[in-house]
Amino acid sequence: MSMPADQMELREEEIRAHYAAAATMLEGVDHTPRIAKPKVQVTAPERSPGIGTRRRFRSTTPGLVTRSTARPEGVRLVDRIEGADEGDPLVSPVQATVLHALRRAISIALAMGEGYAGQTGLVGLKKANLEGALGADRSAEFTELLAAESLVTLSVFANATAYLLAAHASETSVEIGAVEEVLTDNAGLALHGALWELDQELATFADSEDKLVPTVMAYAEQLMEKVSLRAQTAPRLEPFTGNNFRVEADDLTIAGFTPARAAKGSKITMSFKKPNEVVGNHIAKYQAMKLSKMLMAYDFDRKLNPFAELGGFIFTFMGDGKPGTGKTTLIQMMAGLINDYCQVAGYPFRYQNLSTESIDSYQGKSAQNAKAFINNVIDPNVIGFGTIDDIDQLAGKRGDRQSSAGQLEITAVLMDSFAGAGTVVRGNCTFGMFSNYPENVDDALRQRAGARFLVDGPQTRDDYVDILNLLMGKNHSIPLGDFEPFAAQEIKKAVAASFDSHNRPHEDGLVRVYERVSRDIGKLDTIAKLGTYLKGIQEADERFTGRAIKNITDAIKVRAMDFELPDEWMENPELFLFKDYDTKRAMIEELRQPITVDMVIQEINRYADSEFRYADKSDEAAIEAMVRDFGRQEEAKRRYLEGKG
């Protein structure tokens, strides 16, 4: 199998050369904790009679002169792991799996650290230091390179551990808290500290075999997160972050400090809906169907979707509407479509919903839950769909005294993840935020929704006949009458009518702006006139910023991609899904349509209508709250005066 051009191979012989050292570390190392405080006494459980003790391992990193006067603590992970089964003298399959995964992960980490040292000249500096020939002018460089090598080694160890054990994860979860013993003196000491803390967590939480894998994975994920934060400000990491490394035997790609979780889909227990079971909501349904097929164009080798490169991919969207208008049904339809397409193509599909259960009173835990949700969905090895239902309850509005600390933590994570400095849109996943009350969502977070799906439910007489007929089921003999079922739900016809309705604005405030600008400058048929209209909107609503313009232009690019990938491309993967990236890109470009003035006006009106609608509702809610406060004050005064009288 050929290696993609942007990946470097980490050769198997380089990894296996470290097996002996890795096994020795698992058998026993000495480590004196420097940062973390011991949770338990570190002596490993007693071995069964007749089994001898193993030797301990001390750091022999070349070129380093280190000394510790404190009492070292022995760490014997093999004993700890084999003792997590209430004294069974035989090693179980689960224990063997964990030990093999740890040995493999340590070996990969050591090989990566060795490669980094060779690439950066650290090997020569270590040799000079060992010989006492390291000049003072190279001391700072030496220290920085050692710290960088430590971070690389720790990250790869944690990353590989989580990846290798992902297939053995269960529904059991363990909360271990933050990792503390992250050392950057040198790679060997860093690994010793990590193994010492892992031993502490196993002794604390893995009191039965079913908690063994969850504890190791929880530790690995916490270590990855802590090291990634350290790496944001650490120098000399470009040789590691600037390349992708491939471990072919494990199908593992190491891309800097990004977690490389195994391509494992999630079990979906929801009841899927077919498109014809979504009545009304024509634009929202059409965009959801298009987006479901767009996701399938993702190229797993290139780790990129042609739609994300060409423009028109929807990374985040907001679905809003009154209660009972069909938001849940829309989610069920979209998840069902993606699931069916992925089953045909053999792609792993991961669906996850961020619910109110993610809000936690423990400081930082809500943010941790939200970040885990984001990371699971954006995993470049799967097709992902993440939903945040009732986002107005889940994410706090900044400045609102009713918002809890946990809600504000979730808001901060979502804002950074959806449009932060480090946000990378590969085109393998999408996030849908849904709300009955979008006016209660933080303005900045709401504007991070690149597309707006107005979920307005059934509107016409035909819609109401269709939904009644659908929900009545088959257990009756009432005649349908002179009516063709679901004819009104014919998607292209309905969508065209819905888009045409946005040739003029709907909300009163926006209508006034549109009419004034049109009266002053005439028909909106040039970029300059359209820009004048946008400025008029901003003058009427100061929240209409540059981010709003970006969302509008993204929506226009989506309209340029105003086509559905043919159904046969989804049914027969050989026709499109299994083509190489460049071929898929060319096939999509052939279907792209030119952008028209009507498209631009319609998308400006659609987006601005939604903002005016949110603003009006938000202002009205604030006014009603003030009226209630004034009323309570007057009633309090009346009762107070009556009491004094």
Side-chain angles (χ1 to χ4, degrees):
M1 180 177 178
S2 60
M3 192 71 57
D6 62 343
Q7 291 184 359
M8 298 175 63
E9 182 182 8
L10 192 61
R11 294 183 299 175
E12 188 65 18
E13 55 266 31
E14 295 172 348
I15 297 170
R16 289 182 175 271
H18 294 282
Y19 268 16
T24 303
M25 285 188 189
L26 293 174
E27 289 173 353
V29 297
D30 286 341
H31 180 73
T32 302
R34 295 192 184 178
I35 302 173
K37 294 181 179 179
K39 296 181 179 180
V40 295
Q41 188 177 357
V42 298
T43 52
E46 288 295 325
R47 298 285 294 160
S48 298
I51 300 179
T53 58
R54 297 176 170 91
R55 61 190 180 281
R56 294 183 184 178
F57 179 80
R58 296 183 184 276
S59 176
T60 57
T61 304
L64 296 177
V65 180
T66 58
R67 179 178 299 171
S68 174
T69 56
R71 175 181 176 273
E73 301 290 351
V75 180
R76 298 191 294 278
L77 271 173
V78 171
D79 292 353
R80 179 72 66 194
I81 291 168
E82 292 179 359
D85 57 3
E86 300 177 351
D88 191 333
L90 297 179
V91 178
S92 71
V94 172
Q95 293 167 341
T97 296
V98 172
L99 286 170
H100 278 274
L102 288 172
R103 184 184 69 168
R104 180 75 176 171
I106 294 171
S107 300
I108 294 172
L110 290 172
M112 184 66 72
E114 188 177 75
Y116 172 86
Q119 188 177 357
T120 58
L122 179 57
V123 171
L125 293 177
K126 287 180 180 180
K127 182 179 179 182
N129 182 62
L130 184 64
E131 296 171 349
L134 183 67
D137 58 329
R138 307 293 301 275
S139 178
E141 177 188 2
F142 184 44
T143 301
E144 289 178 354
L145 285 171
L146 285 175
E149 182 193 26
S150 300
L151 292 174
V152 168
T153 302
L154 286 175
S155 175
V156 173
F157 164 64
N159 202 348
T161 299
Y163 180 88
L164 294 170
L165 289 176
H168 304 279
S170 64
E171 298 299 321
T172 304
S173 62
V174 174
E175 302 293 341
I176 67 169
V179 168
E180 297 178 342
E181 191 73 359
V182 177
L183 306 177
T184 57
D185 301 60
N186 60 75
L189 184 62
L191 275 176
H192 290 184
L195 296 178
W196 173 85
E197 193 160 14
L198 174 57
D199 181 63
Q200 290 281 308
E201 305 300 354
L202 289 171
T204 304
F205 298 102
D207 52 3
S208 59
E209 190 173 274
D210 65 312
K211 294 182 181 178
L212 187 56
V213 170
T215 302
V216 176
M217 289 194 66
Y219 172 74
E221 289 171 358
Q222 288 294 317
L223 179 58
M224 270 191 287
E225 184 174 338
K226 188 68 170 281
V227 172
S228 179
L229 289 173
R230 287 276 197 95
Q232 291 178 5
T233 56
R236 303 186 184 276
L237 287 169
E238 291 79 8
F240 176 63
T241 57
N243 296 288
N244 291 340
F245 299 89
R246 177 77 175 170
V247 182
E248 194 64 36
D250 300 311
D251 193 24
L252 166 64
T253 300
I254 299 169
F257 295 93
T258 302
R261 293 173 177 82
K264 180 183 178 183
S266 58
K267 292 182 179 179
I268 304 179
T269 56
M270 72 167 63
S271 174
F272 295 142
K273 299 294 184 182
K274 298 296 183 184
N276 69 317
E277 295 178 286
V278 179
V279 177
N281 299 324
H282 301 302
I283 291 181
K285 178 167 69 172
Y286 179 57
Q287 289 184 311
M289 292 169 65
K290 280 173 51 182
L291 181 53
S292 299
K293 290 183 177 179
M294 279 184 181
L295 286 167
M296 300 307 297
Y298 178 70
D299 188 274
F300 282 88
D301 289 331
R302 189 73 67 89
K303 296 289 189 290
L304 184 64
N305 191 319
F307 282 104
E309 183 183 356
L310 295 170
F313 182 79
I314 300 173
F315 180 54
T316 53
F317 63 91
M318 170 77 77
D320 74 278
K322 296 177 182 178
T325 51
K327 290 182 293 299
T328 301
T329 305
L330 192 70
I331 294 172
Q332 292 170 324
M333 181 203 78
M334 188 169 171
L337 288 173
I338 302 172
N339 182 71
D340 291 347
Y341 296 153
C342 284
Q343 285 190 352
V344 171
Y347 294 163
F349 172 46
R350 187 175 296 162
Y351 169 77
Q352 192 160 353
N353 180 60
L354 187 66
S355 67
T356 52
E357 295 176 359
S358 300
I359 303 174
D360 199 289
S361 59
Y362 182 78
Q363 185 175 7
K365 181 60 179 173
S366 299
Q368 183 179 330
N369 291 340
K371 193 63 181 176
F373 159 74
I374 295 291
N375 287 338
N376 283 336
V377 176
I378 66 173
D379 180 356
N381 297 303
V382 303
I383 301 297
F385 179 31
T387 56
I388 310 165
D389 209 359
D390 294 324
I391 189 171
D392 53 286
Q393 298 181 32
L394 192 65
K397 194 172 187 178
R398 293 170 300 173
D400 186 349
R401 290 175 294 179
Q402 302 300 317
S403 296
S404 69
Q407 289 174 310
L408 293 175
E409 286 177 12
I410 290 176
T411 299
V413 169
L414 296 181
M415 287 178 61
D416 180 65
S417 301
F418 291 161
T423 302
V424 177
V425 179
R426 299 179 183 276
N428 69 303
C429 65
T430 187
F431 291 90
M433 298 177 277
F434 296 86
S435 176
N436 296 327
Y437 306 100
E439 67 275 8
N440 293 335
V441 179
D442 187 273
D443 290 340
L445 176 57
R446 189 177 66 239
Q447 289 174 4
R448 278 163 166 75
R452 305 298 170 89
F453 291 9
L454 176 59
V455 187
D456 51 3
Q459 297 291 309
T460 65
R461 173 252 183 191
D462 288 351
D463 287 343
Y464 276 90
V465 175
D466 274 331
I467 196 169
L468 176 63
N469 180 42
L470 177 68
L471 297 178
M472 283 284 288
K474 302 294 184 182
N475 190 27
H476 67 86
S477 57
I478 303 173
L480 178 61
D482 185 16
F483 185 79
E484 184 179 350
F486 302 113
Q489 310 312 317
E490 201 280 311
I491 193 69
K492 291 185 178 179
K493 177 182 176 183
V495 166
S498 295
F499 278 131
D500 287 344
S501 73
H502 289 284
N503 287 325
R504 286 182 56 84
H506 294 174
E507 298 297 315
D508 292 340
L510 186 59
V511 169
R512 289 192 291 271
V513 175
Y514 178 83
E515 291 179 344
R516 176 178 60 79
V517 173
S518 297
R519 185 173 58 249
D520 292 344
I521 64 176
K523 186 178 180 180
L524 305 179
D525 54 4
T526 68
I527 294 291
K529 290 180 178 181
L530 291 166
T532 303
Y533 180 33
L534 291 170
K535 175 58 180 174
I537 298 172
Q538 185 271 330
E539 290 173 348
D541 184 355
E542 62 182 11
R543 289 170 288 197
F544 198 80
T545 63
R547 186 178 296 280
I549 310 304
K550 182 183 184 305
N551 290 338
I552 290 170
T553 55
D554 285 346
I556 293 167
K557 292 173 184 176
V558 171
R559 291 287 299 279
M561 299 290 187
D562 199 8
F563 55 83
E564 267 196 272
L565 297 179
D567 287 335
E568 54 267 28
W569 289 8
M570 301 295 113
E571 295 164 1
N572 184 355
E574 300 291 342
L575 296 177
F576 175 75
L577 301 181
F578 291 170
K579 300 286 187 185
D580 64 86
Y581 179 85
D582 293 330
T583 301
K584 284 191 283 192
R585 187 182 189 278
M587 293 171 72
I588 290 170
E589 280 190 303
E590 287 182 5
L591 298 174
R592 186 161 55 174
Q593 303 178 30
I595 294 173
T596 66
V597 171
D598 286 343
M599 283 184 192
V600 178
I601 293 174
Q602 290 168 1
E603 291 308 318
I604 291 174
N605 288 337
R606 283 186 64 221
Y607 189 92
D609 268 332
S610 68
E611 283 299 304
F612 273 74
R613 185 170 64 251
Y614 302 154
D616 290 345
K617 289 182 179 179
S618 181
D619 291 345
E620 185 61 33
I623 292 170
E624 290 179 358
M626 292 180 70
V627 169
R628 286 195 299 271
D629 287 342
F630 288 148
R632 283 194 287 264
Q633 288 180 17
E634 291 299 319
E635 180 63 17
K637 286 180 181 178
R638 185 186 66 78
R639 294 186 187 183
Y640 175 74
L641 293 174
E642 286 180 356
K644 289 190 68 175

